[in-house]
Amino acid sequence: DGERSFRNARLSTSFAPGTTAGTVLRAIATATGLALGNVSAAVAKLDSLTLQQGYVVSGSVARALDRLLYSLGYGYSVQRGALQILADGDVLDDSIPLISPTTGLIGSPEMGSPEASGKPALCRFQSLLVATAPGKIVHLTSDRYDTDLVVKKCEFSGDTHGGDWTTTIYGEIRR
């Protein structure tokens, strides 16, 4: 989703001391060539943070976005061709679908390994097609779980010529 924009986008610019992190984010996000999704909300939060030493961006826009957001405790993904930026632990405001054996859960959820050292383990499960995306919340109910999960990754599969459409969801248990 948006891979072509990231692959080719480059930016070379510098920002004077006293520039806000929101200003830098806006410039990098615009340079991606993607729709800006919820960038304005992230910029509003980061406009209160001043970069005392200034900031330099040179090269890949994707790498620059990674570097800036990671240093500020944020992450991003591309959803339907638009940037989605969330602080660690933040979620999108949407309705929370219930996923249970009676609403499409297939098999049993499994706990996997953490995304990175020091991060919580991810729960993996499969269900009939669920309209969700990273950053959203789902409520999982099974023999072992009755909890909200923050979606970290989704994989959709199916065939227009028959068979069921399914979603494999990797989520972090919300505490």
Side-chain angles (χ1 to χ4, degrees):
D1 205 6
E3 178 182 352
R4 197 172 301 149
S5 295
F6 273 137
R7 186 175 22 196
N8 299 320
R10 300 187 65 76
L11 180 65
S12 282
T13 190
S14 60
F15 299 89
T19 301
T20 67
T23 300
V24 175
L25 174 58
R26 185 180 301 109
I28 296 171
T30 301
T32 66
L34 297 167
L36 297 182
N38 73 338
V39 169
S40 59
V43 166
K45 289 180 182 178
L46 294 174
D47 268 341
S48 62
L49 178 62
T50 302
L51 303 174
Q52 299 299 322
Q53 303 297 317
Y55 200 81
V56 175
V57 176
S58 181
S60 164
V61 169
R63 187 167 291 145
L65 194 58
D66 280 337
R67 191 176 116 216
L68 176 69
L69 292 176
Y70 180 78
S71 70
L72 299 171
Y74 281 71
Y76 75 92
S77 64
V78 179
Q79 303 300 321
R80 297 178 187 93
L83 275 175
Q84 174 181 292
I85 298 173
L86 295 172
D88 288 345
D90 281 358
V91 295
L92 297 174
D93 296 326
D94 277 337
S95 62
I96 301 174
L98 170 65
I99 300 174
S100 69
T102 58
T103 63
L105 179 65
I106 299 170
S108 297
E110 304 169 350
M111 285 305 279
S113 19
E115 287 182 304
S117 179
K119 296 276 187 172
L122 295 181
C123 180
R124 176 191 172 276
F125 61 94
Q126 189 174 35
S127 75
L128 296 177
L129 190 62
V130 177
T132 192
K136 293 189 177 183
I137 299 174
V138 296
H139 186 85
L140 176 65
T141 301
S142 68
D143 289 341
R144 185 171 177 196
Y145 299 99
D146 188 8
T147 188
D148 287 341
L149 294 159
V150 178
V151 176
K152 294 296 185 180
K153 178 181 173 183
C154 304
E155 296 171 348
F156 301 95
S157 62
D159 187 344
T160 58
H161 298 293
D164 291 332
W165 286 82
T166 61
T167 306
T168 302
I169 296 174
Y170 299 83
E172 185 177 289
I173 294 176
R174 193 168 186 209
R175 304 221 184 266

